[in-house]
Amino acid sequence: AGINSYHSSPTFIQVLVTNNISTLKIGSDGDAGGAYISGGSPKFYNCVIANNHAEGFIGGVIARNTNCYFYNGIIYGNTALVNLPYTNSNVNFFSQGLTSFNAANSILQGGGSSDYTYASADWTYLYGKDLGGNMDTDPMFNPDYSLMANSPAINKGSETFYNTVSVENTDYYDNTRVVDVIDIGLSEYQTQWSDIFYVRQDGMGDG
């Protein structure tokens, strides 16, 4: 796995976990391509776990007997060679044992959304506890995992969660971290949406 957190409580801030392969061989079950979390109480802020692969089960995250927090992050596009025969799992995420996975303002593939939208159904509880602001939709990455101009992750993060950790006000790419409202994921889209004006064709007046 890209991350192996065992009975510890680390804090991950703007960490990119991608293109890892968990291989199936003697001494390795080939599970959890992105992250394996066992015990502890880790916290993730504006992290991306995407496009990892497992030759066993779960290409994304396996959380076991942990109290984990995932804020303003993305789990998407992970793959696995073998699918688990359980209704509470997909190739992106699986929880085991006494796990409390708490997610807020994140894009979580297969998890549904905090509020029903045209893009996805309601929260499925696959990812555990819904703290609000979660979505199940394509984050629309550029090749470097920054956000495209029409990404649904723009302005959808929570500064309340992000401000609980002491960090410099820059994103993963050393650009300004908060423009308008903090974005979900590693990067901050640098054009203020509040400076973009939309007008109705053939409209009149100031409304």
Side-chain angles (χ1 to χ4, degrees):
I3 293 174
N4 189 352
S5 177
Y6 186 74
H7 289 277
S8 61
S9 300
T11 297
F12 300 94
I13 303 170
Q14 296 176 169
V15 174
L16 174 61
V17 183
T18 187
N19 295 328
N20 296 286
I21 299 177
S22 184
T23 56
L24 182 61
K25 60 182 180 180
I26 296 175
S28 172
D29 56 16
D31 298 343
Y36 180 78
I37 303 166
S38 179
S41 184
K43 295 180 175 65
F44 294 80
Y45 297 86
N46 289 85
C47 295
V48 170
I49 303 174
N51 295 326
N52 301 284
H53 180 70
E55 292 183 350
F57 299 118
I58 314 300
V61 177
I62 292 179
R64 183 174 184 271
N65 296 325
T66 180
N67 186 29
C68 183
Y69 296 86
F70 199 81
Y71 303 130
N72 299 345
I74 299 172
I75 302 176
Y76 195 87
N78 301 286
T79 57
L81 191 61
V82 184
N83 290 327
L84 279 172
Y86 303 119
T87 57
N88 64 331
S89 71
N90 67 14
V91 294
N92 283 280
F93 183 86
F94 178 60
S95 63
Q96 295 176 304
L98 301 176
T99 291
S100 177
F101 192 86
N102 307 274
N105 298 85
S106 295
I107 293 178
L108 305 168
Q109 188 172 11
S113 294
S114 299
D115 300 304
Y116 184 84
T117 67
Y118 72 92
S120 59
D122 291 327
W123 186 253
T124 65
Y125 296 97
L126 167 67
Y127 287 86
K129 188 174 182 180
D130 173 22
L131 300 182
N134 296 302
M135 294 182 285
D136 178 8
T137 187
D138 187 343
M140 303 183 71
F141 290 128
N142 289 307
D144 65 352
Y145 294 96
S146 62
L147 301 175
M148 293 184 180
N150 55 344
S151 168
I154 295 174
N155 289 348
K156 295 299 183 180
S158 170
E159 293 172 43
T160 299
F161 292 120
Y162 188 80
N163 289 338
T164 61
V165 290
S166 179
V167 295
E168 294 182 6
N169 190 28
T170 55
D171 68 6
Y172 183 81
Y173 303 98
D174 290 326
N175 296 314
T176 301
R177 176 67 265 190
V178 180
V179 177
D180 284 339
V181 179
I182 193 170
D183 298 344
I184 293 172
L186 301 169
S187 69
E188 190 76 13
Y189 190 66
Q190 295 297 301
T191 299
Q192 289 188 340
W193 279 19
S194 58
D195 290 341
I196 301 174
F197 296 92
Y198 298 90
V199 296
R200 180 181 301 171
Q201 186 176 1
D202 300 324
M204 299 180 64
D206 57 3

